[in-house]
Amino acid sequence: MPQRPGTPRLLRQINDRAALELLISRGPLTRAELGELTGLSKVTSGQLLARLETRGLVTAAGERPGGRGPNAALYGVNPSSAYVAGLEVLPDSVTAAVADITGTVVAQVTVDPSEASDPVRIVHEAVQRACGTAGIELTRLRCFVIGTRGVVDPLTGDVRYSVDLPTWHVGILAGLRTLLGECVIIENDVNLAALAEQTYGAARGADDFVILWTGVGQGLGVMLGGRLHRGITGGAGEIGWLPVPGEPLPSAVTAPQTGSFQRLVGGEALWNLARAHGLAADLRDAEVADLVRTAMNAGNDAFVEDLAGRLAVGVAAVSVVLDPGLVVLGGDVGRAGGVHLAERVEEAVARVCPSRPTVVATGVEGNPVLMGAIVAALDRAREEVFSDTV
């Protein structure tokens, strides 16, 4: 069956979307520059910009000095044409950030979840406070993405279970959508960290990579073919349960902190490792990141090598199954260990794994879960806003 030719309306929508994406990634641009990048004539580019400016999606952004003749007007996406919210939910804090459609964060607040027993209410309160700080109405938010620990059902979008957040359960999503609107998305926190690494960090532009999230709890974000791999039940990446030699298997999978890999690299394991290397005497109440940072600063290579060997067990297991080519060390341990720890892990993996992946430290500045939530929210909001221009 022959395909129907594109209608003028459809072609305008396609051109508008392409122009808006260019203005986001390359802008501000002049009419001539936009025409050159899109392949449109100056006349068509001018008509396109006028149309988008009328709809409030594009605005003048100054002038570019030229050689002879008047300066050329610059155009950019109107930052206030739409807003999104990203949130990170932890047992002891809920952080909400509001960003405009260009991705600029205009407000960020953190609230104490003990202020309300209902998680729907505390999320709503955090978003309201962020909007108040930004000076915008909550109704201007096009999408909300919430990063949380636990397993999210990829079919329903609801939380299947979360050990650290027992009040987050099936039904939370419906309550949030009742208050905030249909475009509320709950996502696993490490998956969002993977999005942040792909957009801003060490995996920028990579279509295939994994992020090993290490700290008190362990997680794995998997990006294959440019898309997150969540698994049929949303359980892909629960690497703390990975069986490893020398560690007991869990007697009950409902009991937290009992997975074999968790026993090998979790908080208690690293504390014992630090004590074995003479590091724990003055760090009785230290966080996991502090143990690693202290070892790095003290030049305790024996501790670093032992830690790298343990992390390499997980990296090698993932690599022989997925062969991602690139592994990012994230979480508290990955950030504290930095480039030096990543290099030691890569060397340790190469000794036991034929695929020999590149291992790098996280490159995301700030809160990777929150940034990933904003990336995901912007993707949905731009799809809606940028596709409705005609």
Side-chain angles (χ1 to χ4, degrees):
M1 181 181 295
Q3 294 184 348
R4 295 174 59 189
T7 64
R9 178 185 176 87
L10 176 60
L11 292 175
R12 285 197 297 269
Q13 286 178 322
I14 293 172
N15 290 337
D16 289 354
R17 178 63 184 266
L20 287 165
E21 294 289 356
L22 282 168
L23 290 172
I24 286 285
S25 62
R26 305 277 291 273
L29 299 170
T30 66
R31 182 180 63 176
E33 290 169 339
L34 187 61
E36 182 179 349
L37 290 170
T38 58
L40 301 174
S41 68
K42 289 184 179 181
V43 173
T44 303
S45 296
Q47 293 170 342
L48 178 153
L49 287 170
R51 182 168 61 249
L52 297 179
E53 196 168 13
T54 299
R55 293 188 65 87
L57 296 176
V58 166
T59 186
E63 295 181 338
R64 175 160 293 154
R68 297 179 180 178
N71 294 339
L74 287 167
Y75 297 89
V77 171
N78 181 4
S80 63
S81 58
Y83 295 89
V84 300
L87 295 95
E88 181 187 32
V89 176
L90 296 172
D92 57 354
S93 66
V94 174
T95 301
V98 171
D100 63 37
I101 198 66
T102 70
T104 301
V105 175
V106 295
Q108 180 174 321
V109 301
T110 299
V111 301
D112 184 351
S114 65
E115 294 178 5
S117 59
D118 179 9
V120 173
R121 179 180 169 188
I122 196 63
V123 166
H124 187 236
E125 175 66 20
V127 173
Q128 282 186 316
R129 291 188 190 181
C131 286
T133 301
I136 64 171
E137 296 293 329
L138 190 147
T139 53
R140 309 235 8 231
L141 299 180
R142 291 294 191 115
C143 189
F144 308 78
V145 173
I146 302 167
T148 182
R149 296 176 181 175
V151 175
V152 178
D153 190 322
L155 294 178
T156 66
D158 227 329
V159 177
R160 287 182 56 224
Y161 66 85
S162 177
V163 173
D164 294 326
L165 300 165
T167 59
W168 283 72
H169 48 71
V170 173
I172 290 293
L173 183 60
L176 290 167
R177 286 178 172 173
T178 297
L179 279 179
L180 300 174
E182 284 302 308
C183 194
V184 176
I185 300 168
I186 302 175
E187 181 62 271
N188 173 266
D189 55 352
V190 183
N191 284 343
L192 293 179
L195 288 178
E197 290 290 349
Q198 186 187 46
T199 306
Y200 303 112
R204 186 173 302 183
D207 287 334
D208 296 274
F209 71 95
V210 299
I211 174 171
L212 180 62
W213 187 268
T214 53
V216 175
Q218 321 311 315
L220 187 78
V222 181
M223 189 75 69
L224 297 177
R227 302 183 64 177
L228 284 171
H229 178 72
R230 299 176 176 86
I232 296 298
T233 66
E238 294 297 310
I239 198 171
W241 300 102
L242 178 75
V244 297
E247 296 295 335
L249 296 175
S251 57
V253 295
T254 56
Q257 308 294 316
T258 60
S260 299
F261 190 62
Q262 172 68 32
R263 292 177 186 270
L264 184 67
V265 299
E268 183 176 352
L270 295 195
W271 172 260
N272 291 333
L273 183 64
R275 183 167 53 191
H277 286 284
L279 289 169
D282 299 323
L283 297 170
R284 298 185 186 279
D285 298 319
E287 300 289 340
V288 169
D290 293 329
L291 292 176
V292 176
R293 198 172 291 111
T294 298
M296 303 292 290
N297 293 337
N300 194 319
D301 289 336
F303 172 87
V304 175
E305 288 295 331
D306 277 357
L307 173 58
R310 295 184 181 207
L311 294 174
V313 171
V315 173
V318 171
S319 296
V320 296
V321 175
L322 298 179
D323 191 18
L326 176 65
V327 178
V328 180
L329 296 186
D332 292 338
V333 171
R335 188 178 294 276
V339 174
H340 183 62
L341 177 61
E343 290 174 346
R344 299 289 81 75
V345 172
E346 182 175 320
E347 292 169 0
V349 173
R351 291 192 288 269
V352 297
C353 179
S355 60
R356 302 187 66 168
T358 298
V359 182
V360 297
T362 176
V364 176
E365 298 293 335
N367 186 328
V369 176
L370 197 63
M371 294 179 69
I374 291 172
V375 168
L378 285 170
D379 185 60
R380 291 291 293 268
R382 288 172 183 169
E383 181 65 30
E384 177 186 335
V385 175
F386 291 177
S387 299
D388 186 24
T389 62
V390 179

